[in-house]
Amino acid sequence: MNLFRLLGDLSHLASILILLQKIQSTRSCRGISFKTQALYATVFITRYLDLFYDWVSLYNFTMKVFFIASSCYVLYLMKVKYRPTHDPSIDTFRVEYLLGPCAVLALLFHYKFTISELFWSFSIFLESVAILPQLFMLQRTGEAETITTHYLAALGAYRALYIPNWIYRYFTEDMVDPIAVTAGIVQTALYLDFFYVYFTKVLQGQKFELPA
């Protein structure tokens, strides 16, 4: 594992810890898209089907278990423990417009026509667009709590850091994964507007507000 991959994984881990801290400290899910969280849970469950039969390392196993467990825990917090604080009237993105195309792409673009590989491809494509319900919610409300923006920034940085990881692996291992690279570039591009406001406002001590 190279430094870029490690930093990406740590950024991903940090994003989830920030999200859990936000929910637990405020005892509220306000500003968090349940649909995005449900899509991420779907991503982790379909991607890590190999958890019980393909051992890679303790690090790999631990991270997979953490991502599945934490994503399901977030869903529990939002749907059960702090349900009254979630407003579905502003979380209205039609996720079927994401699930359907990602399933079709997985059938068209994969490395082996097996259940596990199809689910892996599906998870890669779905992860690239899973943030859209959250960004759509931000667009509707026009603002977000600072801690929520830190969560989104860490989540965006995770995928952005994978780009130099892929470049490094191409030159050092002569390895390239066109499915993951293409989806990763799309995912990073979706964050560009958010990052612009985050760097020009939030990191300057101002409230996160989208331009009118």
Side-chain angles (χ1 to χ4, degrees), residues 145-166:
E145 297 175 6
T146 299
I147 193 168
T148 301
T149 64
H150 293 332
Y151 154 68
L152 292 173
L155 192 59
Y158 137 68
R159 183 49 72 183
L161 283 165
Y162 264 53
I163 294 177
N165 163 61
W166 292 321

Side-chain angles (χ1 to χ4, degrees), residues 42-134:
T42 303
V43 165
F44 298 137
I45 292 170
T46 54
R47 181 176 303 172
Y48 300 143
L49 289 175
D50 62 352
L51 183 64
F52 300 105
Y53 63 83
D54 186 13
W55 177 266
V56 177
S57 67
L58 180 60
Y59 171 85
N60 184 273
F61 177 83
T62 302
M63 294 294 273
K64 288 179 179 180
V65 170
F66 174 80
F67 288 135
I68 292 175
S70 60
S71 62
C72 291
Y73 182 56
V74 168
L75 294 183
Y76 160 76
L77 292 176
M78 297 188 71
K79 205 66 176 176
V80 180
K81 191 171 184 179
Y82 300 120
R83 180 171 184 153
T85 65
H86 175 250
D87 185 1
S89 68
I90 58 174
D91 191 12
T92 57
F93 193 95
R94 302 287 295 273
V95 295
E96 58 266 32
Y97 293 150
L98 303 179
L99 293 169
C102 288
V104 172
L105 286 172
L107 289 171
L108 294 174
F109 303 101
H110 50 265
Y111 297 121
K112 291 181 182 178
F113 198 77
T114 62
I115 295 297
S116 60
E117 281 294 321
L118 290 175
F119 273 130
W120 179 87
S121 294
F122 171 74
S123 76
I124 294 296
F125 291 123
L126 184 60
E127 185 182 20
S128 70
V129 294
I131 197 62
L132 281 175
Q134 181 68 63

Side-chain angles (χ1 to χ4, degrees), residues 158-187:
Y158 137 68
R159 183 49 72 183
L161 283 165
Y162 264 53
I163 294 177
N165 163 61
W166 292 321
I167 296 173
Y168 177 86
R169 295 191 68 183
Y170 173 75
F171 285 106
T172 60
E173 304 174 25
D174 194 26
M175 178 179 177
V176 62
D177 183 339
I179 293 176
V181 171
T182 302
I185 292 174
V186 170
Q187 185 176 351

